[in-house]
């Protein structure tokens, strides 16, 4: 009488060890991704303007240079040129040397944290010099959102909407043009609904309505296309990979609540290469700065969306070719007969 073979114990043991180790590793990764940039928030080559006669600004530039690596100095002839640079998003603020004393120009709409940091730094410097600094907010945040919290809070919902749309398209087994149509349609609706809520209802976005809707939709499509595209090529595992990248790196590295230059390098740069960071930067530009400096984030989001949708079409074509090459089954023959 044959004896039953012993039940293998090694595979379950390996799965158990993997489950026990994987959770702490993911927790440590998430803690590092979210906590480390927050704990190291400070100016890192932050673009800052200095305006006034060269003889008057020389001492000021020397004082700023003592904070090595903090500021990237841009020189302007007068206050008008400095204001233009702020409105064009070339710099986050500017210090204007006048006969009455230094004047600080800020743009809280570009990042309230940045404006507060510049104001604190200038206040401390003025106290040491025995002078007073007058602060002018050139591009303020909306009255309905004076702390600028709403724009920073928009990053996570858009990322979740993109992940959800890409996952639904994958789980419903939509392929090729049908999947692309569903992704574009859902992203367009997200953009319209988002603009209706943030602009028309809450009043926290104040730019061109359709530009804001297009930004919200493009940011969603960049994520949903990447999710569905990688899933079309790798299977359901593609959903987890893309969602992990977006949530663990894209969200905390976006700089939406402060500014990319307030995050440690290379976190700020990486964040602008990912959809959440590019989407937040573009939304800030179209809502508060009439689209200034929007070209870079538009190209980034378009690149993500195009690659994602291209992967969706490629994955659908590969699956169709594989299916067409399969042998005909007896059931299919009977159905034909």
């Amino acid at each position: 009488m044959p004896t039953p073979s012993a039940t293998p114990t090694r595979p379950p043991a390996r799965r158990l060890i993997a489950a026990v180790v994987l959770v702490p590793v993911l927790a440590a990764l998430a803690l590092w991704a979210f906590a480390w940039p927050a704990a190291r928030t400070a100016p890192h080559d932050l673009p800052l303007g200095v305006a006034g006669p060269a003889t008057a600004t020389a001492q000021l530039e020397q004082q700023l240079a003592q904070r090595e690596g903090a500021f990237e100095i841009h020189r302007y002839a007068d206050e008008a040129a400095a204001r233009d640079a702020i409105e064009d998003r070339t710099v986050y603020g500017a210090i204007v040397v006048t006969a009455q004393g230094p004047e600080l120009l800020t743009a809280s709409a570009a990042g309230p944290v940045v404006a507060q940091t510049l104001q604190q730094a200038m206040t401390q410097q003025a106290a040491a010099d025995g002078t007073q600094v007058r602060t002018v907010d050139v591009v303020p945040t909306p009255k309905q959102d004076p702390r600028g919290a709403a724009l920073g809070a928009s990053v996570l919902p858009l990322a979740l909407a993109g992940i959800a749309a890409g996952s639904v398209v994958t789980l419903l087994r939509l392929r090729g043009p049908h999947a692309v149509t569903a992704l574009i349609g859902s992203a367009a609706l997200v953009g319209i609904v988002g603009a209706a809520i943030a602009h028309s209802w809450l009043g926290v976005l104040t730019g061109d309505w359709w530009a804001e809707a297009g930004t919200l939709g493009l940011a969603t499509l960049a994520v949903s296309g990447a999710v569905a595209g990688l899933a079309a090529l790798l299977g359901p595992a593609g959903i987890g990979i893309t969602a992990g990248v977006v949530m663990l790196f894209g969200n905390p590295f976006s700089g939406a609540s402060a500014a990319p230059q307030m995050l440690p390098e290379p976190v700020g740069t990486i964040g602008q290469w990912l959809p959440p960071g590019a989407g937040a930067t573009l939304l800030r530009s179209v809502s508060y700065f009439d689209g200034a400096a929007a070209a870079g984030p538009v190209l980034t989001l378009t690149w993500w969306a195009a690659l994602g949708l291209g992967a969706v079409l490629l994955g659908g074509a590969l699956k169709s070719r594989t299916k067409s090459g399969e042998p005909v089954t007896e059931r299919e023959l009977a159905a034909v007969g």
Side-chain angles (χ1 to χ4, degrees), residues 29-78:
L29 181 61
L31 184 61
W32 168 80
F34 280 85
W36 177 56
R40 296 293 184 268
T41 298
H44 298 89
D45 292 326
L46 184 76
L48 177 65
V50 174
T55 55
T57 60
Q59 182 179 359
L60 175 61
E61 292 181 24
Q62 292 177 357
Q63 293 172 346
L64 293 174
Q66 292 177 359
R67 302 184 62 174
E68 187 175 354
F71 300 108
E72 178 186 284
I73 303 300
H74 296 246
R75 297 171 180 83
Y76 301 100
D78 51 27

Short mmCIF file of all heavy atoms in Angstrom, two decimals, residues 29-78:
data_model
loop_
_atom_site.label_atom_id
_atom_site.label_comp_id
_atom_site.label_asym_id
_atom_site.label_seq_id
_atom_site.Cartn_x
_atom_site.Cartn_y
_atom_site.Cartn_z
N LEU A 29 9.74 51.93 4.55
CA LEU A 29 9.85 52.69 3.31
C LEU A 29 8.87 53.86 3.31
O LEU A 29 9.22 54.99 2.93
CB LEU A 29 9.59 51.78 2.11
CG LEU A 29 9.69 52.42 0.72
CD1 LEU A 29 11.09 52.97 0.49
CD2 LEU A 29 9.33 51.40 -0.36
N ALA A 30 7.63 53.59 3.74
CA ALA A 30 6.63 54.66 3.79
C ALA A 30 7.02 55.74 4.80
O ALA A 30 6.86 56.94 4.53
CB ALA A 30 5.27 54.06 4.13
N LEU A 31 7.52 55.31 5.95
CA LEU A 31 7.94 56.29 6.96
C LEU A 31 9.07 57.15 6.45
O LEU A 31 9.09 58.37 6.66
CB LEU A 31 8.35 55.55 8.24
CG LEU A 31 8.72 56.44 9.44
CD1 LEU A 31 7.53 57.29 9.85
CD2 LEU A 31 9.20 55.59 10.60
N TRP A 32 10.04 56.51 5.78
CA TRP A 32 11.15 57.29 5.21
C TRP A 32 10.64 58.26 4.15
O TRP A 32 11.02 59.44 4.14
CB TRP A 32 12.17 56.34 4.58
CG TRP A 32 13.17 57.05 3.72
CD1 TRP A 32 14.28 57.73 4.12
CD2 TRP A 32 13.14 57.18 2.29
NE1 TRP A 32 14.93 58.27 3.05
CE2 TRP A 32 14.26 57.94 1.91
CE3 TRP A 32 12.26 56.71 1.30
CZ2 TRP A 32 14.53 58.25 0.58
CZ3 TRP A 32 12.52 57.03 -0.02
CH2 TRP A 32 13.65 57.78 -0.37
N ALA A 33 9.77 57.80 3.25
CA ALA A 33 9.31 58.64 2.15
C ALA A 33 8.50 59.83 2.62
O ALA A 33 8.59 60.92 2.04
CB ALA A 33 8.48 57.80 1.16
N PHE A 34 7.72 59.65 3.69
CA PHE A 34 6.87 60.74 4.16
C PHE A 34 7.57 61.59 5.23
O PHE A 34 7.44 62.82 5.21
CB PHE A 34 5.56 60.17 4.73
CG PHE A 34 4.56 59.80 3.68
CD1 PHE A 34 4.60 58.56 3.06
CD2 PHE A 34 3.57 60.70 3.31
CE1 PHE A 34 3.68 58.22 2.08
CE2 PHE A 34 2.63 60.36 2.34
CZ PHE A 34 2.69 59.12 1.71
N ALA A 35 8.26 60.95 6.16
CA ALA A 35 8.80 61.67 7.31
C ALA A 35 10.12 62.37 6.99
O ALA A 35 10.35 63.49 7.47
CB ALA A 35 8.99 60.73 8.49
N TRP A 36 10.99 61.75 6.22
CA TRP A 36 12.30 62.34 5.96
C TRP A 36 12.21 63.68 5.24
O TRP A 36 12.81 64.67 5.69
CB TRP A 36 13.18 61.37 5.17
CG TRP A 36 14.52 61.93 4.82
CD1 TRP A 36 15.45 62.44 5.66
CD2 TRP A 36 15.05 62.09 3.49
NE1 TRP A 36 16.55 62.88 4.96
CE2 TRP A 36 16.32 62.68 3.63
CE3 TRP A 36 14.58 61.77 2.22
CZ2 TRP A 36 17.13 62.96 2.53
CZ3 TRP A 36 15.39 62.05 1.13
CH2 TRP A 36 16.64 62.63 1.29
N PRO A 37 11.45 63.82 4.14
CA PRO A 37 11.35 65.14 3.51
C PRO A 37 10.73 66.18 4.44
O PRO A 37 11.14 67.34 4.44
CB PRO A 37 10.46 64.89 2.28
CG PRO A 37 10.59 63.43 2.00
CD PRO A 37 10.75 62.79 3.34
N ALA A 38 9.72 65.76 5.23
CA ALA A 38 9.08 66.71 6.14
C ALA A 38 10.04 67.19 7.22
O ALA A 38 10.03 68.36 7.61
CB ALA A 38 7.86 66.07 6.77
N ALA A 39 10.89 66.29 7.70
CA ALA A 39 11.84 66.65 8.75
C ALA A 39 13.00 67.50 8.21
O ALA A 39 13.66 68.19 8.99
CB ALA A 39 12.40 65.39 9.41
N ARG A 40 13.24 67.47 6.92
CA ARG A 40 14.36 68.22 6.32
C ARG A 40 13.86 69.38 5.46
O ARG A 40 14.57 69.83 4.57
CB ARG A 40 15.21 67.27 5.47
CG ARG A 40 15.89 66.15 6.26
CD ARG A 40 16.95 66.69 7.20
NE ARG A 40 17.67 65.62 7.88
CZ ARG A 40 17.33 65.13 9.05
NH1 ARG A 40 16.26 65.60 9.68
NH2 ARG A 40 18.02 64.15 9.61
N THR A 41 12.66 69.87 5.75
CA THR A 41 12.12 70.99 4.97
C THR A 41 12.91 72.26 5.26
O THR A 41 12.96 72.73 6.40
CB THR A 41 10.64 71.22 5.32
OG1 THR A 41 9.89 70.03 4.97
CG2 THR A 41 10.07 72.39 4.54
N ALA A 42 13.52 72.79 4.23
CA ALA A 42 14.33 74.01 4.33
C ALA A 42 14.68 74.44 2.91
O ALA A 42 14.59 73.64 1.96
CB ALA A 42 15.60 73.76 5.14
N PRO A 43 15.06 75.70 2.71
CA PRO A 43 15.42 76.14 1.35
C PRO A 43 16.63 75.39 0.81
O PRO A 43 17.65 75.26 1.49
CB PRO A 43 15.72 77.64 1.53
CG PRO A 43 15.05 78.02 2.80
CD PRO A 43 15.10 76.81 3.68
N HIS A 44 16.52 74.91 -0.41
CA HIS A 44 17.62 74.25 -1.11
C HIS A 44 17.70 74.85 -2.51
O HIS A 44 16.92 74.49 -3.39
CB HIS A 44 17.42 72.74 -1.18
CG HIS A 44 17.37 72.07 0.15
ND1 HIS A 44 16.20 71.92 0.87
CD2 HIS A 44 18.34 71.52 0.91
CE1 HIS A 44 16.45 71.30 2.00
NE2 HIS A 44 17.75 71.04 2.06
N ASP A 45 18.62 75.79 -2.71
CA ASP A 45 18.74 76.51 -3.98
C ASP A 45 17.41 77.13 -4.36
O ASP A 45 16.97 77.07 -5.51
CB ASP A 45 19.24 75.58 -5.08
CG ASP A 45 20.68 75.16 -4.87
OD1 ASP A 45 21.46 75.97 -4.34
OD2 ASP A 45 21.03 74.00 -5.19
N LEU A 46 16.75 77.74 -3.41
CA LEU A 46 15.46 78.39 -3.64
C LEU A 46 15.68 79.67 -4.44
O LEU A 46 16.43 80.56 -4.00
CB LEU A 46 14.80 78.72 -2.30
CG LEU A 46 13.40 79.33 -2.37
CD1 LEU A 46 12.38 78.25 -2.71
CD2 LEU A 46 13.04 79.99 -1.05
N PRO A 47 15.05 79.82 -5.60
CA PRO A 47 15.23 81.04 -6.39
C PRO A 47 14.72 82.28 -5.65
O PRO A 47 13.56 82.36 -5.28
CB PRO A 47 14.40 80.77 -7.65
CG PRO A 47 14.30 79.28 -7.73
CD PRO A 47 14.24 78.81 -6.31
N LEU A 48 15.60 83.24 -5.43
CA LEU A 48 15.28 84.45 -4.68
C LEU A 48 15.88 85.64 -5.41
O LEU A 48 17.06 85.62 -5.80
CB LEU A 48 15.83 84.37 -3.26
CG LEU A 48 15.64 85.60 -2.37
CD1 LEU A 48 14.15 85.83 -2.09
CD2 LEU A 48 16.40 85.44 -1.06
N GLY A 49 15.08 86.69 -5.60
CA GLY A 49 15.55 87.87 -6.29
C GLY A 49 16.11 88.90 -5.35
O GLY A 49 15.70 89.01 -4.19
N VAL A 50 17.06 89.68 -5.83
CA VAL A 50 17.63 90.83 -5.12
C VAL A 50 17.59 92.00 -6.08
O VAL A 50 18.13 91.91 -7.19
CB VAL A 50 19.07 90.56 -4.65
CG1 VAL A 50 19.67 91.81 -4.05
CG2 VAL A 50 19.09 89.42 -3.64
N ALA A 51 16.93 93.08 -5.67
CA ALA A 51 16.75 94.22 -6.56
C ALA A 51 17.30 95.49 -5.92
O ALA A 51 17.20 95.68 -4.71
CB ALA A 51 15.26 94.41 -6.89
N GLY A 52 17.87 96.34 -6.76
CA GLY A 52 18.42 97.60 -6.29
C GLY A 52 19.79 97.85 -6.90
O GLY A 52 20.34 97.00 -7.61
N PRO A 53 20.37 98.98 -6.62
CA PRO A 53 21.72 99.28 -7.12
C PRO A 53 22.74 98.26 -6.61
O PRO A 53 22.64 97.77 -5.48
CB PRO A 53 22.01 100.68 -6.56
CG PRO A 53 20.66 101.26 -6.25
CD PRO A 53 19.80 100.10 -5.86
N ALA A 54 23.71 97.96 -7.43
CA ALA A 54 24.71 96.94 -7.08
C ALA A 54 25.46 97.30 -5.81
O ALA A 54 25.76 96.42 -4.98
CB ALA A 54 25.69 96.75 -8.23
N THR A 55 25.75 98.56 -5.63
CA THR A 55 26.47 98.97 -4.42
C THR A 55 25.63 98.77 -3.16
O THR A 55 26.16 98.49 -2.08
CB THR A 55 26.86 100.45 -4.53
OG1 THR A 55 25.67 101.24 -4.79
CG2 THR A 55 27.85 100.67 -5.65
N ALA A 56 24.31 98.88 -3.30
CA ALA A 56 23.43 98.73 -2.14
C ALA A 56 23.11 97.28 -1.84
O ALA A 56 22.83 96.93 -0.69
CB ALA A 56 22.13 99.51 -2.38
N THR A 57 23.14 96.44 -2.85
CA THR A 57 22.78 95.03 -2.65
C THR A 57 23.97 94.13 -2.37
O THR A 57 23.78 92.96 -2.04
CB THR A 57 22.04 94.49 -3.90
OG1 THR A 57 22.92 94.59 -5.04
CG2 THR A 57 20.77 95.28 -4.16
N ALA A 58 25.18 94.63 -2.49
CA ALA A 58 26.36 93.78 -2.32
C ALA A 58 26.42 93.17 -0.93
O ALA A 58 26.65 91.97 -0.77
CB ALA A 58 27.63 94.61 -2.58
N GLN A 59 26.19 93.98 0.11
CA GLN A 59 26.23 93.45 1.47
C GLN A 59 25.11 92.42 1.69
O GLN A 59 25.32 91.40 2.35
CB GLN A 59 26.10 94.58 2.48
CG GLN A 59 26.19 94.11 3.93
CD GLN A 59 26.09 95.26 4.93
OE1 GLN A 59 25.98 96.43 4.53
NE2 GLN A 59 26.13 94.94 6.21
N LEU A 60 23.94 92.71 1.13
CA LEU A 60 22.82 91.79 1.28
C LEU A 60 23.12 90.44 0.63
O LEU A 60 22.85 89.38 1.21
CB LEU A 60 21.56 92.40 0.66
CG LEU A 60 20.31 91.51 0.63
CD1 LEU A 60 19.89 91.12 2.04
CD2 LEU A 60 19.18 92.22 -0.10
N GLU A 61 23.72 90.47 -0.53
CA GLU A 61 24.07 89.23 -1.22
C GLU A 61 25.11 88.44 -0.43
O GLU A 61 25.07 87.20 -0.39
CB GLU A 61 24.58 89.53 -2.63
CG GLU A 61 23.51 90.08 -3.55
CD GLU A 61 24.04 90.34 -4.95
OE1 GLU A 61 25.04 89.71 -5.33
OE2 GLU A 61 23.45 91.17 -5.66
N GLN A 62 26.03 89.12 0.20
CA GLN A 62 27.03 88.43 1.03
C GLN A 62 26.36 87.75 2.22
O GLN A 62 26.72 86.64 2.60
CB GLN A 62 28.09 89.43 1.50
CG GLN A 62 28.99 89.97 0.40
CD GLN A 62 29.98 91.00 0.92
OE1 GLN A 62 29.96 91.36 2.10
NE2 GLN A 62 30.84 91.48 0.02
N GLN A 63 25.40 88.42 2.82
CA GLN A 63 24.68 87.82 3.95
C GLN A 63 23.89 86.59 3.51
O GLN A 63 23.87 85.58 4.22
CB GLN A 63 23.75 88.87 4.58
CG GLN A 63 24.48 90.02 5.24
CD GLN A 63 23.54 91.12 5.68
OE1 GLN A 63 22.37 91.16 5.28
NE2 GLN A 63 24.03 92.04 6.51
N LEU A 64 23.26 86.66 2.35
CA LEU A 64 22.51 85.51 1.85
C LEU A 64 23.44 84.36 1.47
O LEU A 64 23.10 83.19 1.63
CB LEU A 64 21.67 85.92 0.63
CG LEU A 64 20.53 86.90 0.91
CD1 LEU A 64 19.88 87.33 -0.41
CD2 LEU A 64 19.48 86.26 1.82
N ALA A 65 24.64 84.70 0.96
CA ALA A 65 25.59 83.67 0.57
C ALA A 65 26.12 82.89 1.76
O ALA A 65 26.61 81.76 1.61
CB ALA A 65 26.75 84.30 -0.20
N GLN A 66 26.04 83.48 2.95
CA GLN A 66 26.49 82.77 4.15
C GLN A 66 25.62 81.54 4.44
O GLN A 66 26.10 80.60 5.07
CB GLN A 66 26.48 83.72 5.34
CG GLN A 66 27.52 84.83 5.25
CD GLN A 66 27.44 85.81 6.40
OE1 GLN A 66 26.58 85.68 7.29
NE2 GLN A 66 28.32 86.80 6.41
N ARG A 67 24.38 81.57 3.99
CA ARG A 67 23.51 80.40 4.11
C ARG A 67 23.75 79.52 2.89
O ARG A 67 22.98 79.49 1.93
CB ARG A 67 22.06 80.81 4.22
CG ARG A 67 21.79 81.75 5.40
CD ARG A 67 20.32 82.06 5.53
NE ARG A 67 19.52 80.86 5.79
CZ ARG A 67 18.22 80.87 6.06
NH1 ARG A 67 17.57 82.03 6.12
NH2 ARG A 67 17.57 79.76 6.27
N GLU A 68 24.87 78.82 2.92
CA GLU A 68 25.35 78.08 1.75
C GLU A 68 24.32 77.06 1.28
O GLU A 68 23.83 76.23 2.05
CB GLU A 68 26.66 77.37 2.11
CG GLU A 68 27.32 76.70 0.91
CD GLU A 68 28.66 76.10 1.28
OE1 GLU A 68 29.11 76.30 2.43
OE2 GLU A 68 29.25 75.43 0.43
N GLY A 69 23.99 77.12 -0.02
CA GLY A 69 23.07 76.18 -0.63
C GLY A 69 21.61 76.48 -0.40
O GLY A 69 20.75 75.76 -0.89
N ALA A 70 21.30 77.55 0.33
CA ALA A 70 19.90 77.84 0.64
C ALA A 70 19.20 78.56 -0.50
O ALA A 70 18.06 78.23 -0.84
CB ALA A 70 19.80 78.66 1.92
N PHE A 71 19.89 79.55 -1.10
CA PHE A 71 19.23 80.39 -2.08
C PHE A 71 20.01 80.42 -3.40
O PHE A 71 21.23 80.34 -3.42
CB PHE A 71 19.08 81.84 -1.56
CG PHE A 71 18.27 81.94 -0.31
CD1 PHE A 71 18.88 82.23 0.91
CD2 PHE A 71 16.90 81.72 -0.33
CE1 PHE A 71 18.14 82.32 2.07
CE2 PHE A 71 16.15 81.80 0.83
CZ PHE A 71 16.77 82.09 2.03
N GLU A 72 19.24 80.55 -4.47
CA GLU A 72 19.79 80.80 -5.81
C GLU A 72 19.46 82.24 -6.15
O GLU A 72 18.30 82.58 -6.40
CB GLU A 72 19.16 79.84 -6.82
CG GLU A 72 19.62 80.04 -8.24
CD GLU A 72 18.85 79.15 -9.21
OE1 GLU A 72 19.13 77.93 -9.26
OE2 GLU A 72 17.94 79.67 -9.88
N ILE A 73 20.45 83.11 -6.13
CA ILE A 73 20.23 84.54 -6.23
C ILE A 73 20.04 84.97 -7.69
O ILE A 73 20.83 84.61 -8.56
CB ILE A 73 21.41 85.32 -5.60
CG1 ILE A 73 21.61 84.89 -4.15
CG2 ILE A 73 21.16 86.81 -5.69
CD1 ILE A 73 20.41 85.12 -3.27
N HIS A 74 18.98 85.75 -7.92
CA HIS A 74 18.72 86.38 -9.22
C HIS A 74 18.74 87.90 -9.00
O HIS A 74 18.06 88.40 -8.10
CB HIS A 74 17.36 85.95 -9.79
CG HIS A 74 17.27 84.49 -10.10
ND1 HIS A 74 17.13 84.00 -11.38
CD2 HIS A 74 17.28 83.40 -9.28
CE1 HIS A 74 17.06 82.68 -11.35
NE2 HIS A 74 17.16 82.29 -10.08
N ARG A 75 19.48 88.61 -9.81
CA ARG A 75 19.64 90.05 -9.63
C ARG A 75 18.74 90.82 -10.59
O ARG A 75 18.67 90.49 -11.78
CB ARG A 75 21.10 90.45 -9.83
CG ARG A 75 22.04 89.82 -8.81
CD ARG A 75 23.50 90.05 -9.16
NE ARG A 75 24.38 89.43 -8.17
CZ ARG A 75 24.73 88.15 -8.18
NH1 ARG A 75 24.27 87.35 -9.14
NH2 ARG A 75 25.53 87.66 -7.25
N TYR A 76 18.08 91.85 -10.06
CA TYR A 76 17.19 92.69 -10.86
C TYR A 76 17.50 94.16 -10.59
O TYR A 76 17.95 94.54 -9.50
CB TYR A 76 15.73 92.37 -10.54
CG TYR A 76 15.37 90.93 -10.81
CD1 TYR A 76 15.31 90.00 -9.77
CD2 TYR A 76 15.15 90.49 -12.10
CE1 TYR A 76 15.01 88.68 -10.00
CE2 TYR A 76 14.85 89.16 -12.35
CZ TYR A 76 14.79 88.26 -11.31
OH TYR A 76 14.50 86.94 -11.56
N ALA A 77 17.18 94.98 -11.58
CA ALA A 77 17.54 96.39 -11.49
C ALA A 77 16.67 97.15 -10.51
O ALA A 77 17.15 98.04 -9.79
CB ALA A 77 17.45 97.04 -12.88
N ASP A 78 15.37 96.81 -10.47
CA ASP A 78 14.47 97.57 -9.62
C ASP A 78 13.31 96.68 -9.16
O ASP A 78 13.23 95.49 -9.50
CB ASP A 78 13.94 98.81 -10.36
CG ASP A 78 13.36 98.47 -11.74
OD1 ASP A 78 12.89 97.33 -11.93
OD2 ASP A 78 13.38 99.34 -12.62
#
